[in-house]
Amino acid sequence: MASLDEPGEVREGFLCPLCLKDLQSFYQLQSHYEEEHSGEDRDVRGQIKSLMQKAKKAKNKLLKREGDDRADSGAQGYESFSYGGVDPYMWEPQELGAVRSHLSDFKKHRAARIDHYVVEVNKLIIRLEKLTAFDRMNTESAKIRAIEKSVVPWVNDQDVPFCPDCGNKFSIRNRRHHCRLCGSIMCKKCMELISLPFANKLTSASKDSLSTHTSPSQSPNSVHGSRRGSISSISSVSSVLDEKDDDRIRCCTHCKDTLLKREQQIDEKEHTPTIVRLYEKLRLCMEKVDQKAPEYIKMAASLNAGETTYSLEHASDLRLEVQKVYELIDALSKKILTLGLNQDPPPHPNTLRLQRMIRCSATLFVQEKLLGLMSLPTKEQFEELKKKRKQDLERKRTMERQAALESQRRLEERQSGLVSRATNGEVAPLRRGPGPLRKAEGWLPLSGGQGQSEDPDPLLQQIHNITSFIRQAKAAGRADEVRTLQENLRQLQDEYDQQQTEKAIELSRRQAEEEELQREQLQMLREREWERERVWAAPLHSRTRSLDFQREPGRGLRTHLAHALDLGPSPAQSGTAPKTPSPSPAQAWSGPPALGQEGPPQSTVSQPPLNPFEEEDRPSPPGEGAVSPAAAEAAPLPKEYNPFEEEEEEEPEAGNPFTGPDGLAPNPFEEEEARPCLRPASPPAPGNPFEEPAGTNPFEVDSDSGPEVEERIEEELLLQQIDNIKAYIFDAKQCGRLDEVEVLTENLRELKCTLAKQKGGPD
Amino acid sequence: MNVVFAVKQYVSKMIEDSGPGMKVLLMDKETTGIVSMVYTQSEILQKEVYLFERIDSQNREIMKHLKAICFLRPTKENVDYLIQELRRPKYSIYFIYFSNVISKSDVKSLAEADEQEVVAEVQEFYGDYIAVNPHLFSLNILGCCQGRNWDPAQLSRTTQGLTALLLSLKKCPMIRYQLSSEAAKRLAECVKQVITKEYELFEFRRTEVPPLLLILDRCDDAITPLLNQWTYQAMVHELLGINNNRIDLSRVPGISKDLREVVLSAENDEFYANNMYLNFAEIGSNIKNLMEDFQKKKPKEQQKLESIADMKAFVENYPQFKKMSGTVSKHVTVVGELSRLVSERNLLEVSEVEQELACQNDHSSALQNVKRLLQNPKVTEFDAARLVMLYALHYERHSSNSLPGLIVDLRNKGVSEKYRKLVSAVVEYGGKRVRGSDLFSPKDAVAITKQFLKGLKGVENVYTQHQPFLHETLDHLIKGKLKENLYPYLGPSTLRDRPQDIIVFVIGGATYEEALTVYTLNRTTPGVRIVLGGTTVHNTKR
């Protein structure tokens, strides 16, 4: 249930298109919209409607992912689950159904019965106490008899002609015997005997003093043994009228039964089986985990986000502690599992089942809770993360400001009718794009493996890093890794070269800007380029994006162009706008060398990630006209940060989440300086060679962080991994999944290998 | 009005009340089924319940370190077992819950047996029915009626189940029943009687519109359970049989050992939950997506893990991966088996004719089609008999009825005596004489136009033309148009407003097709909540 509307869940992407408030669900968004913006433009409503439709479609996907998240977090995993087939919101919260208790009735009836029973037992115990209070061994039998008779009045012999238990007639041979506890009569066969230790145990227990003798398991045996012994002795001295039972007290079966039951109760009170003790410990550990794990997860999440609320040392201590508890749980449950397996009479199958179940639940517990523990960043990573976070925050701030202005401007535009309505509908849904992505990206815990040094040029630093990786990989003898790394290196170097060229271009362009005439020529050139671009881009893009998509920016640009031409004095600046959405004309415009370097096909491939940006860009041309030359200067600058950015990403992929926020970033240039260099999230370099290997080569991920992290991974973590894998192997073996076992074993071997290497290897 | 949740809450409450410590759940045959429908083993393990025992099993060991939670139906045998148990307690402490009303005298005899004071709780928790889906429950009673009348034992069990449902949902309803069915009337009276007798229990907070209990009889619509179904849940039930969420796959050729019996539970199987009401074609594509999803995850796993980071990701994802692989193999097996059966039994063709028989009124083409299929060697005797049954039900009074001819055809085909007898039995059970309302021909002008329009539009899907009769009944009920002369109220008071909370109970069993109908109605009509129940959940075999 409830999972749909859990307030804590971050539901990405339900941003209000008007105020950009991030709302948790689209129901909330709807209501938010109705409250806040109901008076506003009609178009917006159409816009939000289409957003709703998209959101609905997206919801399915989201929900699916949410499910995964839930499984990951585990903590609240198993209790809350959406009810199959029914939308939970359709059913109001349901209270517990009707119940009726019969306990008071039950207790009333039981009390009456119990009183009777307890009185009886207590009476017997008191009598037993009296009978054993004196020293039986050294007292005459006559005297004993007198005392016995004084404890309980004996039933008259004449009243009982037959044994009440077996019905045999009493005679000279079949003599009457009196129960010393209740005074009743029975024959010898039906007579029971109570040994003194047994009596002592009962009486002392009732006095609540700890008995000094007999382990519980012994006493019943001793009673039986003595009885058997007494029978044989009786037969040997059968002639004696009243055999003297020095250390035994005669009683009837009924009294004996009651006493035995009583004894059992006492035993249970004293005795706790091993399994209970172990189990209690196990539960204690689990409680500890329940307590500590969320605390740790909170810490780790915060640390991984680069926050400084908690100290890293504290967190790693906690992690160690939690891991210890986990090991303890594992050990305890294993112990429970094997409890009593080697005993001579094998335990009852149910006992074994119980033990198995406890082990099973412990394993489940461990799987759900402890494997979800995320790792902590190392010190260096942490520093890096802190830095990133700072940047991120700043970027976000500018972005928000930007977005606010943006929406305002968009409204104005709409009024002025510059932008056609048809295109408007598209804005909102796509506007969402960056939203979810930005959150999804969320600075992955592993990110930022490198880049800690203060190398002036990130690219150079990258190159430096990769060279060192290659060295390491070679040392580790991983040919394929080396290969990939080398390829990366080559690309990096290419990129660096290109960057240098771009810098040169930039320089020359600045010069160009100084000259009005030149600028006008440039404008012409750009226009021509645009025409060309439209002609070839459309068919090319039809594969990746819908056609009209491509057309829209074009149209937008045309109007924008006209606008820019009207503005006259600074038409070239508006060139920044087309430059970003469609790289190739931009390249052509900024200089032939660039065009030569980044062929058109390449730039088209990288086009899709740019789309959000396009959307951003399109509605805002008027503002652009007023942009100072500084913006134009700024544009290429962030570009050189791109490769670095891509590198830093742990999981660069074709639809890189990171490029999402990037789409927003360009906007700032349009209006102000805003430290473009500090803004790492600049538009992805159109022809960035990195993007391609990133998308196609998963190995890139490793080469980024892999070797280096490898160095830094704590041994302890490795060991833990090995343990985990071992557990899985065991698990898989039990389930009989051989292929899994195989894979796992291989992994294990590799892990061990790494461990050995790390221990032995230098550095 | 979520029956699964209602029962689950009861069970959770029981477990919570017993406090921490190792626990054993002591149940009888029926309550075992009830609990297993709402809790999975791993779920209940997390709550420290480690053993599950039957109260009637003899070789239970003494384990004084366990707490016992007894969830039992208040039958005579169970009380006797419990008395024996309490005389010689095997566990340290007992929490006793009865699934229905227990008599005072039984409580007394239990109390007197508890000499060692091991009982800590005696309560009634009304989870006395099998919660199949959130809006579908069953009592798992087969053959509840003998002829037209109730088997007395089953009548009391049904009454208990139905009252327990009302109590667990905290509803004190008004009752309507199907006039044409004597059984429905009897049941309605019995339920009313219990409500009157236990009026203290039924005192709930009054809602503006009182809930409604509608009692129907299967014989009014004998068609629905005879049709082949194409939605996932219904299809699985029809072709493989679902019994308390369990599917027996042991007859599937070449099945691996751990897939002999699989559990399909919407509670903890996301794929099933999302797809149980989708039709077979959609399932096919969804399962393909599932596979692709799985494949996407898989290669990473099966590849050599290249770095620590990979490995770490693997270890962290492993349990999830394993779970997913379980789900994937389960559904792939089930769907594979379904499609095998479909092609083996020529079900697409059969189903088309079935739908035609059920929904259209063209006698000659229907007869022709049935005859054609009877000649087809691929059609099983079971399906052949089914076709004839449908024919018999629809064209019972048709002027050129050629049922005898078809029965001769059946005999020629080598259909066994058992199935041939079924045909006449079905006609007797659900024939025109018995039906209160007309199943096949539209009743009023509106309905006729509707059908006409439908005919013009063409049918979107020939295999799902048939709408269960229940749909119409409920539709009328929701709109307040259900005729009182056909479905009278029990007692003087009648409902003024449109009903909001509706509980429908079908004597003789509901079907998954009807469950789907109710599900759609629940989704499409805001403010109305419907729960469907039956003495059992049908497929054609039952």
Side-chain angles (χ1 to χ4, degrees), chain A residues 670-701:
Chain A
E670 294 161 8
E671 34 192 48
E672 30 93 39
E673 64 309 321
R675 297 177 304 274
C677 343
L678 266 179
R679 225 182 288 123
S682 49
N688 183 356
F690 262 93
E691 187 132 355
E692 249 120 295
T696 52
N697 181 6
F699 191 56
E700 167 110 329
V701 183

Side-chain angles (χ1 to χ4, degrees), chain A residues 75-147:
Chain A
Q76 80 262 39
Y78 57 90
E79 190 54 289
S80 64
F81 202 91
S82 60
Y83 274 86
V86 167
D87 303 339
Y89 62 86
M90 281 188 48
W91 309 87
E92 85 269 41
Q94 194 172 332
E95 45 189 314
L96 183 72
V99 298
R100 179 161 67 178
S101 177
H102 288 288
L103 191 61
S104 58
D105 229 19
F106 185 88
K107 274 187 173 156
K108 207 174 73 202
H109 289 297
R110 183 173 67 182
R113 184 78 178 203
I114 288 289
D115 281 350
H116 172 71
Y117 175 74
V118 168
V119 165
E120 202 176 326
V121 173
N122 286 348
K123 211 161 59 192
L124 288 183
I125 301 269
I126 290 167
R127 284 175 193 162
L128 195 61
E129 207 184 322
K130 279 186 191 159
L131 288 171
T132 52
F134 58 94
D135 186 3
R136 289 179 80 94
M137 304 300 250
N138 305 321
T139 322
E140 283 173 45
S141 52
K143 210 170 174 184
I144 291 177
R145 173 167 289 209
I147 293 170

Side-chain angles (χ1 to χ4, degrees), chain B residues 210-224:
Chain B
L212 187 84
L213 172 65
L214 177 65
I215 299 178
L216 302 174
D217 196 328
R218 183 78 272 166
C219 66
D220 205 28
D221 175 15
I223 299 288
T224 311

Side-chain angles (χ1 to χ4, degrees), chain A residues 426-451:
Chain A
E426 295 285 318
V427 178
L430 279 153
R431 186 72 192 69
R432 292 184 52 244
L437 292 169
R438 183 181 57 220
K439 289 229 168 112
E441 158 248 10
W443 301 117
L444 290 162
L446 286 171
S447 70
Q450 71 294 314

